[in-house]
Amino acid sequence: MFDGYDSCSEDTSSSSSSEESEEEVAPLPSNLPIIKNNGQVYTYPDGKSGMATCEMCGMVGVRDAFYSKTKRFCSVSCSRSYSSNSKKASILARLQVTGKPPTKKAKVLQKQPLVAKLAAYAQYQATLQNQAKTKAVSMEGFSWGNYINSNSFTAAPVTCFKHAPMGTCWGDISENVRVEVPNTDCSLPTKVFWIAGIVKLAGYNALLRYEGFENDPGLDFWCNVCGSDIHPVGWCAASGKPLVPPRTIQHKYTNWKAFLVKRLTGAKTLPPDFSQKVSESMQYPFKPCMRVEVVDKRHLCRTRVAVVESVIGGRLRLVYEESEDRTDDFWCHMHSPLIHHIGWSRSIGHRFKRSDITKKQDGHFDTPPHLFAKVKEVDQSGEWFKEGMKLEAIDPLNLSTICVATIRKVLADGFLMIGIDGSEAADGSDWFCYHATSPSIFPVGFCEINMIELTPPRGYTKLPFKWFDYLRETGSIAAPVKLFNKDVPNHGFRVGMKLEAVDLMEPRLICVATVTRIIHRLLRIHFDGWEEEYDQWVDCESPDLYPVGWCQLTGYQLQPPASQSSRESQSGSSKQKKKAKSQQYKGHKKMTTLQLKEELIDGEDYNFLQGASDQESNGSASFYIKQEP
C-alpha cells in the first residue's frame, strides 16, 4: 500500500524527536484515497491543512488518519521503522568511517538525504515483499488444465520420461479409460464417489467427465491420475464406498445400476494394483546424509564432495561438504551425469577439490556406487579421441548454443575434457567433462547439415565461419564421426508438446516448457513466456525433463509461464550474463550440404550427420545409419 519515494516537506519533518508517544487510533479505512504529490501537503479551500505526507514511506493521505501527535506517520509501523532506521543510518555512518564495505541495505541509504534515505529503504523493503507476493499469487493462479484447454495444447505422454514415476509401467492408460473419483456435485455430508471417463490426457493429468453427462462438458474437471483420489472401477465395491450420481443428472435415469452396467461393459479401467505401482515408482534409493562427488558449480573442470540434503521426486538437493551454513547447494536428478560415487574422480584422472574436512561428519556415509547411472562401455584401444581434435558441443555455460569446441584432455573410461574455443579460461577452469557417448557432443558439420546455428570462437573474424578453413588455420583435425553416439531411441516427443523442464542455468527451478525443435535425439526446450535466448538444448532422455503434473505429484514447486512484467523484473542480471556470450556472431548458414560433405567427411559417415527436418523428425531410429568401426 505504501510504496512512495517522496519525502515530507512539513516544517516539523526531521527536526523533532521520533521517540514521541504514539496514539492508538483506528487503522486506515480501506477507502482512504492515498496519493503521491512530490512531498507537498494538500490544504482545504479554507486554508487548513487536510493532507499530510508520511516521513517514513513518503505517501500522502488524510492528516486526521495519520499517527503520532504531530501526524508525521501514516501507520504505527512507519513510526517505529523511522526510529529504527535512524539508528541504522547512524551505524552506517560509523561503518563508512571504519572503511568496511556497505551492505545492500546500506547502499540504499547512502544515495539520498536522511528522510529520502529512509523512504528509499522502506521502498526497497516493500518492493521485495511485493515481488514475493506477486510470485505467490502467480503460482497459485496457474493451472495446467486451464492452460492446456484454453490454448488447445498437447502434452508429452508419460512414456517419454523413463526416469519419472510410472514412466516404464504407464501401460495403455488413454482416453475413454473409466475410473472412480469423488463426486463433487453432491450435497451429502459424507464423501461419495462416481464413475468418470478420461476425455483428454496431459502427462499425469486427465480431463475427466462424469458418466451420464454424455457430450456435456459442464462439470468436466482435471485430476492427477496418480493422485490418491482416483481409483480403478470396482474399488468402491471392494472398499464399501457408495457410488452416487451427480445431483445435476440424477433425474436422467431411474435405474442407474442398469445404466452403469451398460456403459462399463467392455470398458477399460486402471489396473487393480495401480496405486501400489505408483507408490513403488516413487521410492528412491538416495537418502539424506549420503556423500557423492558432484561438479563444482564455480569451477566446472573439477568435482567436489557434497552431501544429500533432501530428495524430492528423485531430485537431490546437494550441499557442498564445506558449506558451514548449508546454503552452498546444487540441485540435480539422481540419474544426472554430473554426480558420481566417492573416488570416481581419482579413478579416471579428473580434477578434484579436496575437502578441508579431515573426517566424515557424524551420520554421513558414502553412497554405494551401484546407485549411480551407468555409462556405456567403450573401447579406447583402437582409434580413439585425441587431444586437440575439433568437434561441436553444447556450451554448459549457455545451453542455448552449440559451439566450436576442442578435446583438451582424454581421461579414462571414455571421459573427455572439452573446452569451448575462444572462451576458455587460461587455467582451464571452465573445461567440462563429457563422456564419449554423451548426446551433448557432435561431429564437425552436425549443426550445418541440421540447420542449427553454430557459435564460432569468440573473436574469430573470418565470417561466415567455415569448418574447412578453420581446421586448416588451426592445424587441427576433426574427431572421427564414427566415434560419436549414433543411437536414437523412439522417444515419442513431437514439436509443440508441453512438459515441465529444469532450467539448467538455475537448476533448482522447474518451469512450464515446450518442445520447439527435434533433431534426432536432441530437443530444443523453450520456457513459456521467456525469450528464445533462454532456450536450452536437451537430450530426449535427460532426467531434467518431466511430464505435465510431475511437480504436483511430487510436491515440487512449478514456475508458471512468465508474464511481461515478471520477465522485465526477474531477467536482470541473468540476462546480462547470457548476453555476454549470446551476442557473439553465430555465422551464416551459407555452406551447402554438398560442399560440407566433400570437404570434411566421407560419404559413409554423411548418413549419420544428416537429420530429418523438424516436421519429419519423430524420434525414429531410422534417421541414423550406424556405421560399424
Side-chain angles (χ1 to χ4, degrees):
M1 178 177 177
F2 301 101
D3 60 353
Y5 278 97
D6 309 296
S7 58
C8 182
S9 61
E10 289 186 72
D11 294 338
T12 59
S13 59
S14 59
S15 59
S16 58
S17 170
S18 62
E19 303 295 334
E20 61 188 77
S21 60
E22 298 162 352
E23 297 178 356
E24 293 296 330
V25 297
L28 287 172
S30 59
N31 61 349
L32 177 65
I34 300 295
I35 58 174
K36 289 183 179 180
N37 192 41
N38 299 320
Q40 298 301 313
V41 180
Y42 280 144
T43 58
Y44 288 119
D46 60 4
K48 295 180 180 179
S49 176
M51 305 295 289
T53 302
C54 178
E55 295 182 19
M56 181 60 205
C57 68
M59 293 307 298
V60 179
V62 178
R63 170 178 284 275
D64 291 342
F66 270 42
Y67 286 73
S68 81
K69 291 181 179 179
T70 54
K71 307 298 183 184
R72 296 169 54 202
F73 307 104
C74 64
S75 66
V76 173
S77 63
C78 276
S79 176
R80 290 174 179 167
S81 296
Y82 183 92
S83 176
S84 173
N85 287 329
S86 294
K87 296 176 183 178
K88 290 180 181 178
S90 176
I91 294 173
L92 172 62
R94 290 198 296 271
L95 284 176
Q96 290 175 325
V97 173
T98 59
K100 294 182 180 179
T103 64
K104 191 171 184 179
K105 294 179 181 178
K107 289 178 181 178
V108 174
L109 295 176
Q110 283 178 329
K111 294 180 181 178
Q112 306 177 40
L114 179 59
V115 175
K117 286 177 184 177
L118 299 175
Y121 178 69
Q123 169 65 13
Y124 168 74
Q125 290 181 316
T127 300
L128 294 180
Q129 293 174 355
N130 289 337
Q131 287 178 348
K133 290 178 181 178
T134 300
K135 184 176 180 180
V137 171
S138 178
M139 279 303 306
E140 291 173 0
F142 178 74
S143 164
W144 261 121
N146 293 338
Y147 190 56
I148 288 175
N149 270 355
S150 59
N151 298 281
S152 300
F153 290 141
T154 300
V158 174
T159 52
C160 291
F161 310 88
K162 305 303 182 187
H163 58 281
M166 302 298 292
T168 58
C169 54
W170 188 248
D172 56 354
I173 299 175
S174 59
E175 295 178 5
N176 297 320
V177 166
R178 306 302 206 282
V179 292
E180 294 179 353
V181 292
N183 177 4
T184 58
D185 184 26
C186 180
S187 58
L188 296 176
T190 58
K191 188 175 184 179
V192 296
F193 295 79
W194 189 240
I195 310 292
I198 296 178
V199 177
K200 183 176 183 177
L201 269 178
Y204 292 117
N205 294 345
L207 180 63
L208 301 178
R209 182 174 298 167
Y210 289 123
E211 284 295 338
F213 275 83
E214 309 301 340
N215 297 321
D216 180 7
L219 286 185
D220 288 2
F221 62 98
W222 286 88
C223 182
N224 195 301
V225 176
C226 296
S228 58
D229 271 339
I230 189 166
H231 310 278
V233 173
W235 178 84
C236 284
S239 306
K241 303 293 183 180
L243 281 173
V244 178
R247 179 173 49 185
T248 304
I249 58 171
Q250 280 181 346
H251 64 280
K252 290 185 66 174
Y253 300 96
T254 56
N255 190 339
W256 280 100
K257 182 177 180 180
F259 168 80
L260 289 180
V261 170
K262 181 179 179 180
R263 291 286 295 175
L264 300 179
T265 299
K268 293 182 179 180
T269 188
L270 300 177
D273 60 346
F274 184 78
S275 61
Q276 180 181 346
K277 287 183 178 180
V278 171
S279 178
E280 291 174 353
S281 67
M282 295 181 68
Q283 301 300 313
Y284 308 104
F286 281 79
K287 307 296 179 186
C289 296
M290 284 184 170
R291 299 171 77 240
V292 301
E293 287 185 9
V294 63
V295 65
D296 186 340
K297 63 183 181 182
R298 293 181 179 83
H299 299 277
L300 301 182
C301 67
R302 69 186 184 189
T303 57
R304 297 172 60 183
V305 173
V307 179
V308 177
E309 178 76 11
S310 59
V311 183
I312 303 177
R315 301 202 76 227
L316 312 177
R317 178 177 181 259
L318 302 171
V319 176
Y320 290 114
E321 197 168 49
E322 293 178 300
S323 176
E324 295 182 359
D325 59 0
R326 309 195 69 75
T327 59
D328 191 6
D329 62 357
F330 185 82
W331 280 92
C332 67
H333 193 271
M334 63 182 184
H335 294 154
S336 170
L338 302 179
I339 61 171
H340 310 276
H341 62 84
I342 299 296
W344 173 84
S345 297
R346 177 182 295 180
S347 69
I348 70 161
H350 193 282
R351 288 190 195 178
F352 176 75
K353 181 185 178 183
R354 294 185 179 277
S355 173
D356 293 335
I357 301 175
T358 56
K359 61 179 181 179
K360 298 178 189 176
Q361 298 183 20
D362 292 342
H364 294 177
F365 58 99
D366 295 352
T367 306
H370 72 273
L371 297 185
F372 295 88
K374 302 294 188 295
V375 294
K376 185 179 179 180
E377 292 186 6
V378 294
D379 181 11
Q380 297 183 227
S381 60
E383 185 178 11
W384 191 242
F385 293 100
K386 296 179 181 178
E387 291 183 18
M389 283 183 171
K390 299 294 182 181
L391 69 165
E392 298 174 4
I394 296 176
D395 184 352
L397 296 178
N398 185 0
L399 296 165
S400 67
T401 62
I402 298 179
C403 305
V404 174
T406 304
I407 297 173
R408 293 304 180 187
K409 189 175 181 181
V410 179
L411 308 179
D413 296 342
F415 288 95
L416 310 168
M417 296 303 295
I418 307 293
I420 303 299
D421 285 22
S423 303
E424 298 175 67
D427 59 356
S429 60
D430 55 356
W431 294 355
F432 196 76
C433 185
Y434 282 124
H435 193 263
T437 61
S438 169
S440 298
I441 59 174
F442 317 95
V444 163
F446 176 85
C447 285
E448 186 72 31
I449 290 177
N450 290 289
M451 295 172 31
I452 300 173
E453 285 186 319
L454 175 67
T455 302
R458 180 179 296 176
Y460 188 74
T461 57
K462 292 190 64 174
L463 302 173
F465 178 85
K466 291 186 178 181
W467 261 118
F468 182 76
D469 293 340
Y470 185 68
L471 292 174
R472 184 174 53 193
E473 292 167 6
T474 58
S476 307
I477 62 173
V481 175
K482 62 184 178 181
L483 298 181
F484 292 84
N485 181 13
K486 304 177 181 68
D487 297 333
V488 182
N490 187 15
H491 49 67
F493 286 103
R494 301 289 184 274
V495 171
M497 282 183 170
K498 297 293 178 181
L499 68 163
E500 298 176 3
V502 175
D503 179 356
L504 293 170
M505 303 308 293
E506 186 65 46
R508 65 184 177 83
L509 302 179
I510 296 183
C511 312
V512 172
T514 307
V515 178
T516 57
R517 287 196 71 183
I518 302 175
I519 306 295
H520 303 315
R521 63 181 300 147
L522 193 63
L523 309 180
R524 180 81 169 179
I525 301 299
H526 173 73
F527 297 106
D528 290 19
W530 292 90
E531 292 83 1
E532 290 185 1
E533 67 180 280
Y534 296 100
D535 290 2
Q536 297 177 0
W537 288 109
V538 181
D539 181 58
C540 65
E541 293 185 338
S542 169
D544 295 307
L545 303 178
Y546 304 98
V548 166
W550 182 89
C551 283
Q552 178 189 1
L553 177 63
T554 60
Y556 204 95
Q557 185 176 6
L558 176 67
Q559 305 299 315
S563 62
Q564 179 65 30
S565 58
S566 63
R567 284 201 302 270
E568 293 173 353
S569 62
Q570 294 177 21
S571 58
S573 60
S574 62
K575 196 168 185 178
Q576 294 302 323
K577 291 178 183 176
K578 285 201 172 188
K579 283 197 172 181
K581 285 198 172 186
S582 64
Q583 286 178 344
Q584 300 175 55
Y585 181 78
K586 297 182 179 180
H588 297 295
K589 300 187 285 292
K590 279 191 174 180
M591 182 179 285
T592 66
T593 298
L594 180 59
Q595 287 176 314
L596 192 64
K597 177 180 176 182
E598 292 175 345
E599 295 179 357
L600 297 177
I601 57 179
D602 295 331
E604 64 176 6
D605 289 327
Y606 175 74
N607 291 316
F608 161 68
L609 286 172
Q610 188 175 26
S613 67
D614 291 348
Q615 290 76 21
E616 296 171 342
S617 180
N618 62 1
S620 171
S622 64
F623 290 116
Y624 285 118
I625 298 178
K626 296 186 179 180
Q627 304 295 334
E628 299 300 331

